[in-house]
Amino acid sequence: MQLPVINNEASEAKAGGCSAGSCGSTDDQMNHLPEHIREKVFNHPCYSEEAHHYFARMHVAVAPACNIQCHYCNRKYDCANESRPGVVSELHTPVQAVKKVLAVAATIPQMTVLGIAGPGDPLANPERTFETFRMLSEQAPDIKLCVSTNGLSLPEQVEELSKYNIDHVTITINCVDPDVGAQIYPWIFWKNKRIKGREAAEILIAQQQKGLEMLVAKGILVKVNSVMIPGVNDEHLAEVSKIVKAKGAFLHNVMPLISEAEHGTFYGLTGQRGPTHDELQALQDKCEGDMNMMRHCRQCRADAVGLLGEDRGSEFSMDKVEQMEINYPEAMKMRAEVHAAINEELESKRLAKESKVQLVSIQGLKKEVTRPVLMAVATKGGGVVNEHFGHASEFLIYEASSEGVRFIGHRKTTPYCEGGDTCGDGESALDVTLRVLAGCEAVLCSKVGYEPWGPLEAAGIQPNGEHAMEPIEEAILKVYEEMRAAGKLEAKMDEQQKVA
Ligand code: CLF
Ligand code: SF4
């Protein structure tokens, strides 16, 4: 069947063909997973990098309270453990939340996962959180349920969580050393008392680790989020990664600290900086040796709706939802057809990739080792190059090398066409994008205008609109090959080839 589009600019968003030729990406890790785990992650946009091009998630903001204080959080805003500060969610009752979920699921069939991630800590609001999960597990059994927590009250809630077939739990673990923790958490609220400093961190860490072990023992997939805070826990997070992997965590998501003075957080007000793109990538690479890393997190808000990176929340405000008539059993049939069509497409993509790998090994091609190149891609979903340069509010960053293509992360920007002359500190929207794309040597998009062309080239970033609607990794490989043919990649002799 024809896939329904996931956003309004329909004609360009349908998923493209197959045969993306990547290697070393999380897709490959996916292919090696046991069947029962693959079943849990193949359509979860956070647990599978591949899935995030096709499947959407939504959050409902039903959990206002929190039982700890993080130095990167201001309670006016959403829980910064899974969202970016600076946006405030509209709070819903469980009944409202369920109505909204059914409305979104009927309208966006690619929405496969409902997460509760704030605006406070979901498990510090157990009645509201579990009432929402209970109703949804009855009324919408085709939706995966997901929750994110700071972990303080996790061990006491694991039993309840397992009642609603919750297969995915995220714990934010920023440290396993209380001395580091004391620099991140000023206090926790524990057994009706406020506890401060090192003792607070010690209790929190013990609860997080215990909760992690209990979830793993129950076969629930655990993702660990860590906020990278330069000078505080950056040196320590590789150790955290090792420990949580040893305990059975499935995925580690190292997120950058976001701290601006205007957010009013402790770190924002004291000038604590977040990491640079390079620092974040270096740490993710360091941790990757030990476990699967998530690199596509968008630090989305507690009421986010849509593909990761897009926000369709305004289409589903409560007043609009109240006017929608939803026949969910009918919607479920349509959703099942859409999911089957996406799966078929993903399967053909995998088969094409496998046959390409076989072809290369049959031909026994000698590999010329060339230097890695970073490229930026403008996309609005479907795994294809399908966004105009000027409309992109973020770029996906890939590294191409003679080893293949690997996904590195995303970088947000101000859309060039919407930014006006200047924004922020007098920087133009184009200046922002040029700064954000630093280090990239090409930007692939469906179209790019005449005006930004020159400044991009002058900054060493080759604009490229020639691969519109092509699968991303395939397009990147073509551009890389063009660069190689043009002598832009200084070839290095592979050590093995030298020996041979
Ligand atoms: Fe939401 Fe989190 Fe579940 Fe995903 S988000 S509760 S695991 S459904 Fe995903 Fe958003 Fe990153 Fe969270 S991109 S902030 S990791
Ligand atoms: Fe804020 Fe979330 Fe930390 Fe609570 S757990 S203080 S809501 S970031």
Side-chain angles (χ1 to χ4, degrees), residues 60 62 92-95 97-98 101 114 116 126-138 145 164:
V60 283
V62 294
H92 295 313
T93 65
V95 169
V98 170
V101 174
L114 175 275
I116 301 183
E127 292 82 13
R128 297 172 67 99
T129 295
F130 289 121
E131 180 62 0
T132 308
F133 282 146
R134 186 190 62 73
M135 286 191 280
L136 280 172
S137 63
E138 288 168 7
L145 302 176
Y164 306 108

Side-chain angles (χ1 to χ4, degrees), residues 66 68-70 72-73 75 79-81 119-121 150:
C66 191
I68 70 172
Q69 179 64 57
C70 306
Y72 46 74
C73 179
R75 293 298 166 74
C79 173
N81 279 337
D121 186 73
N150 62 41

Side-chain angles (χ1 to χ4, degrees), residues 14 22 121 151 154 193 248 304 332 335 347 354 373 396 402 455 471:
K14 75 178 161 50
S22 85
D121 186 73
L154 180 57
K193 275 201 310 212
M332 269 208 291
R335 287 168 53 77
E347 194 48 39
E354 276 167 24
V373 168
L396 301 192
S402 40

Side-chain angles (χ1 to χ4, degrees), residues 63-75 77-83 117-122 149-151 172 174 185 187:
C66 191
N67 46 9
I68 70 172
Q69 179 64 57
C70 306
H71 272 327
Y72 46 74
C73 179
N74 176 345
R75 293 298 166 74
Y77 304 124
D78 288 346
C79 173
N81 279 337
E82 273 250 333
S83 53
D121 186 73
T149 176
N150 62 41
T172 299
N174 293 320
Y185 308 105
W187 56 259

